[in-house]
Amino acid sequence: MDSSCDCLHALGVGLGVLVSAVLIWTAHRLGTIYQLFHKVETQSPCHGGEVVAKVLQAHGVRYVFTLAGGHISPILVASEKLGIRIVDTRHEATAVFAADAVARLSGTVGVAAVTAGPGLTNTVTAIKNAQMAESPVLLIGGAAATLLQGRGALQDIDQMSLFKPICKSCSSVRTVRDIVPVLRKALAEAQSGTPGPVFVEFPIDILYPYHIVHKELSPKGAPKGIVGKAISWYLQNHLNNLFAGAWEPRDVSPLPLSIPQASSMQIQQCIELLSRAKKPVFLLGSQVTLPPIPVETLRKSLESLGIPCFLGGMARGMLGKESPLHIRQNRREALKEADLVILAGTVCDFRLSYGRVLSRRSKIIAVNRDRSQLLKNSDMFWKPSVAIQGDAGSFIVKLCEGLKGYTCPTEWTEGLKAGDETKEKTNRQRAEDKTERHLNPLKVLHLVDDAMAEDSIIVADGGDFVGSAAYILRPRGPLCWLDPGAFGTLGVGGGFALGAKLCRPDSEVWIIFGDGSLGYSIVEFDTYTRHKTPVIALIGNDACWNQISREQVPMLGSNVACSLAYSDYHVAAEGFGGKGFVVTAQDEDRISDIIKEAQEACHKGKAALVNVLIGKTNFRDGSLSV
């Protein structure tokens, strides 16, 4: 009998403990325990948007790009009050592209804020482009109220699932007190390791003041019955949990960043390989421009080493316009001859024929922050002698420090430069070839290169015309070239130019558009006018998706969907408050004068669009023909 009583007593105690645990867990989940120790200030006029603005300000954010929406209004209003410039665009993708450009040029996080649902889905391509270009971008997105998510609210979709595959991190803020820690972590994540985009979702009830949210949540009449009272208690508890401890002081300063570095042993290995090399060559990718190494410090290290360099992506312009070390042509031939190739932030993807352009006789040093990019296709077409997961810019500086007195064999560099000059001379001669009806695009590009100011930033957005421009236009210095990167996205030009002009308001910003790519962002001339950000757009108008047509017609015998028109894009620009120019074959002798007029219009505060009617180009491997 005693044994049975003991068992029943033990069972009762166990059930009591279990019930207590469940109640405590439930109270924790509902936030009731937190509310016991943290005040809910029901009369406070403060709102979550102000907290977001304070975190952004503490992280040095100067611009927020947006397309307005009620879900995010508190963030925009509060940010403007703190001196953060709000720049509204005509498409959400443009807002993200502009934030991407700011991130690349400033070395900080670029920020875009868009409304819920379709506002966010409109950014997907631009965010994927930022991911592949390794740009630290913070995307702030509105969302339905916390209690209404999944219940059919306006513009309510599962936004987190949409962005998880294309962002480094995705977070949804569930209470006002969580804003600071979530944002600080996201901003650090965007810049650490391999940089990339991060997404933070803000439900609408997190951002507005208590009294407004209370009005929306409160039942319209007095609750009736047990169920009504339970619902009323639940709603009030939820509201209190949203705002409990909301306005307590919190540290908003930036968290430390984690950036991988080459080890001293790896540096020494590379020093030994380089000191024995007779024909070394650098392939520099966009990663070399990332902080913490300033681009001018990196440039001095490269010049000290004296090794010939091929530059790609954001690294274009790293050595200036006329450097004897910068080799622009004949890359495939140079890689066949080289006995040491240093891939500094360069990836063996389609741009290097998946690694097949690298000679099996060459020693290869690969440096990249991202391990998957570091070893891409190394299981098939190439093998690194040394593979370093680390910051490429820091690696080069340390390499230079360890090679004091080293000089690259001059005959190797001079030989590559001579081949470079020969090919560029040939291309310059092709610029004088006559076309049947319209202007020779190569001639136009050479004249533009001659006319560009020394502080110009070049934005590339297009196919054939831009491909030709990449071999003719010479970026004047580091961080003076912007292109989409590995994703090859059309439509980046409008946003990239906007971000670039804001970062460097005294510089000329040139957008090199194909007529196809212009269609994505010509409406942003309205943005340039409203925000007083005059840029110059040069349109290579061949009335065709020529890069597609050139392959499609001989292969499939049809030009379907490839034809465009010689449209009056310059007139559209003027309708948005810009200054438009058209250049036809009859203006061949006036091309330089018209370019100068466009520059003057820009200097007077008007965005300029130069619509150049061109013949079709054939661009391949650095060989240009009309």
Side-chain angles (χ1 to χ4, degrees):
M1 188 71 177
D2 291 343
S3 176
S4 299
C5 289
D6 289 343
C7 288
L8 289 171
H9 176 71
L11 178 61
V13 171
L15 286 172
V17 171
L18 179 61
V19 170
S20 297
V22 170
L23 288 174
I24 291 171
W25 179 84
T26 303
H28 171 71
R29 292 284 293 173
L30 293 174
T32 52
I33 294 176
Y34 187 88
Q35 293 170 44
L36 294 174
F37 303 99
H38 299 273
K39 189 177 179 182
V40 179
E41 299 182 40
T42 59
Q43 301 303 312
S44 174
C46 298
H47 58 79
E50 294 170 337
V51 182
V52 174
K54 287 175 183 175
V55 176
L56 297 180
Q57 183 188 49
H59 284 72
V61 173
R62 296 174 59 200
Y63 310 103
V64 172
F65 299 95
T66 190
L67 198 156
H71 290 85
I72 57 168
S73 292
I75 295 175
L76 305 182
V77 172
S79 295
E80 185 182 44
K81 286 181 179 178
L82 289 184
I84 297 171
R85 185 168 174 180
I86 306 301
V87 184
D88 59 307
T89 63
R90 299 300 300 272
H91 195 286
E92 290 89 352
T94 301
V96 175
F97 288 136
D100 185 340
V102 167
R104 298 189 197 194
L105 294 177
S106 69
T108 60
V109 177
V111 180
V114 300
T115 198
L120 276 161
T121 58
N122 278 345
T123 70
V124 169
T125 297
I127 288 293
K128 182 63 184 179
N129 193 81
Q131 181 197 41
M132 294 188 68
E134 300 173 348
S135 293
V137 171
L138 168 63
L139 176 63
I140 291 172
T146 49
L147 281 181
L148 295 180
Q149 290 182 355
R151 298 180 181 275
L154 175 67
Q155 299 181 333
D156 179 34
I157 59 171
D158 182 2
Q159 299 173 162
M160 301 296 285
S161 296
L162 191 65
F163 286 95
K164 280 179 181 177
I166 59 175
C167 288
K168 289 186 70 180
S169 71
C170 292
S171 306
S172 182
V173 179
R174 309 315 290 176
T175 66
V176 178
R177 63 182 175 270
D178 290 334
I179 292 175
V180 171
V182 168
L183 267 183
R184 291 176 78 208
K185 184 178 178 182
L187 286 159
E189 180 68 21
Q191 300 170 87
S192 293
T194 306
V198 293
F199 170 54
V200 180
E201 175 186 83
F202 286 92
I204 193 169
D205 49 348
I206 301 296
L207 295 177
Y208 280 83
Y210 181 94
H211 70 276
I212 292 178
V213 181
H214 179 268
K215 183 179 178 182
E216 294 297 321
L217 270 181
S218 298
K220 302 307 177 188
K224 298 179 180 179
I226 295 176
V227 173
K229 290 179 179 179
I231 292 173
S232 179
W233 176 89
Y234 178 80
L235 293 175
Q236 185 61 48
N237 179 77
H238 181 80
L239 175 63
N240 289 342
N241 186 47
L242 287 179
F243 286 90
W247 319 124
E248 294 173 4
R250 289 180 174 84
D251 183 6
V252 296
S253 63
L255 294 170
L257 305 181
S258 173
I259 298 173
Q261 299 288 347
S263 68
S264 55
M265 184 180 296
Q266 289 171 325
I267 295 290
Q268 187 57 40
Q269 275 183 284
C270 297
I271 287 172
E272 292 171 7
L273 284 173
L274 185 52
S275 62
R276 293 194 295 267
K278 303 298 182 187
K279 296 181 177 181
V281 66
F282 269 118
L283 269 65
L284 302 178
S286 296
Q287 276 193 15
V288 300
T289 65
L290 294 173
I293 299 298
V295 288
E296 288 299 338
T297 300
L298 178 62
R299 177 177 178 171
K300 289 176 183 176
S301 294
L302 291 167
E303 290 172 344
S304 176
L305 288 167
I307 297 169
C309 301
F310 288 94
L311 309 177
M314 286 295 296
R316 290 177 184 267
M318 176 62 67
L319 296 167
K321 188 171 70 170
E322 303 285 0
S323 172
L325 301 180
H326 181 198
I327 312 301
R328 293 158 55 90
Q329 313 284 352
N330 305 316
R331 186 177 68 179
R332 185 180 294 269
E333 291 76 10
L335 292 175
K336 286 179 182 177
E337 274 194 75
D339 58 3
L340 175 65
V341 178
I342 304 174
L343 303 174
T346 298
V347 182
C348 287
D349 56 16
F350 69 94
R351 292 168 291 183
L352 282 179
S353 297
Y354 310 98
R356 285 178 291 193
V357 296
L358 301 174
S359 171
R360 295 189 179 275
R361 298 186 300 274
S362 303
K363 299 289 185 183
I364 300 171
I365 298 170
V367 189
N368 199 292
R369 293 194 186 191
D370 187 323
R371 184 164 181 80
S372 65
Q373 299 296 319
L374 174 68
L375 300 174
K376 191 174 286 294
N377 295 311
S378 63
D379 57 337
M380 296 182 67
F381 301 120
W382 68 287
K383 295 288 181 188
S385 306
V386 182
I388 301 170
Q389 185 178 1
D391 177 58
S394 303
F395 165 80
I396 293 169
V397 171
K398 291 175 183 175
L399 195 65
C400 179
E401 290 170 353
L403 282 163
K404 295 294 185 185
Y406 168 84
T407 304
C408 179
T410 55
E411 60 273 14
W412 165 239
T413 306
E414 289 170 356
L416 292 178
K417 196 64 178 177
D420 213 38
E421 290 168 354
T422 298
K423 195 161 191 176
E424 291 194 353
K425 183 179 179 181
T426 301
N427 287 336
R428 176 69 87 159
Q429 291 170 346
R430 287 175 178 158
E432 299 305 321
D433 291 349
K434 297 297 180 182
T435 54
E436 288 183 15
R437 291 179 54 200
H438 299 292
L439 291 166
N440 182 328
L442 309 184
K443 179 175 183 177
V444 173
L445 289 167
H446 277 292
L447 291 172
V448 168
D449 186 59
D450 294 339
M452 276 184 175
E454 288 305 305
D455 62 352
S456 292
I457 298 174
I458 303 169
V459 175
D461 185 7
D464 263 21
F465 188 61
V466 170
S468 300
Y471 279 88
I472 294 174
L473 302 182
R474 294 166 295 172
R476 276 36 182 170
L479 300 179
C480 289
W481 174 276
L482 289 164
D483 64 29
F487 204 30
T489 308
L490 292 180
V492 302
F496 276 12
L498 177 62
K501 189 64 179 178
L502 288 167
C503 285
R504 300 190 195 165
D506 296 329
S507 297
E508 280 187 3
V509 175
W510 288 78
I511 322 173
I512 311 303
F513 276 122
D515 53 337
S517 60
L518 173 66
Y520 291 91
S521 55
I522 190 170
V523 70
E524 300 303 342
F525 269 77
D526 170 73
T527 305
Y528 303 144
T529 298
R530 288 184 296 108
H531 288 281
K532 297 179 173 56
T533 49
V535 302
I536 306 171
L538 181 76
I539 320 304
N541 185 354
D542 59 6
C544 185
W545 296 96
N546 191 40
Q547 198 171 57
I548 308 304
S549 175
R550 190 177 59 245
E551 303 288 343
Q552 180 176 305
V553 172
M555 290 172 64
L556 301 172
S558 172
N559 198 44
V560 63
C562 294
S563 294
L564 296 172
Y566 284 106
S567 298
D568 291 337
Y569 300 116
H570 54 290
V571 176
E574 294 212 339
F576 289 121
K579 180 69 175 175
F581 302 87
V582 63
V583 188
T584 69
Q586 287 71 40
D587 302 306
E588 186 166 11
D589 295 334
R590 295 189 59 251
I591 297 174
S592 294
D593 293 335
I594 295 172
I595 292 169
K596 186 176 180 181
E597 288 175 30
Q599 290 174 302
E600 289 172 352
C602 184
H603 296 158
K604 291 177 181 177
K606 275 189 175 286
L609 186 149
V610 185
N611 184 16
V612 186
L613 277 54
I614 60 170
K616 293 175 174 57
T617 55
N618 182 10
F619 161 69
R620 277 180 197 281
D621 240 5
S623 297
L624 309 173
S625 60
V626 179

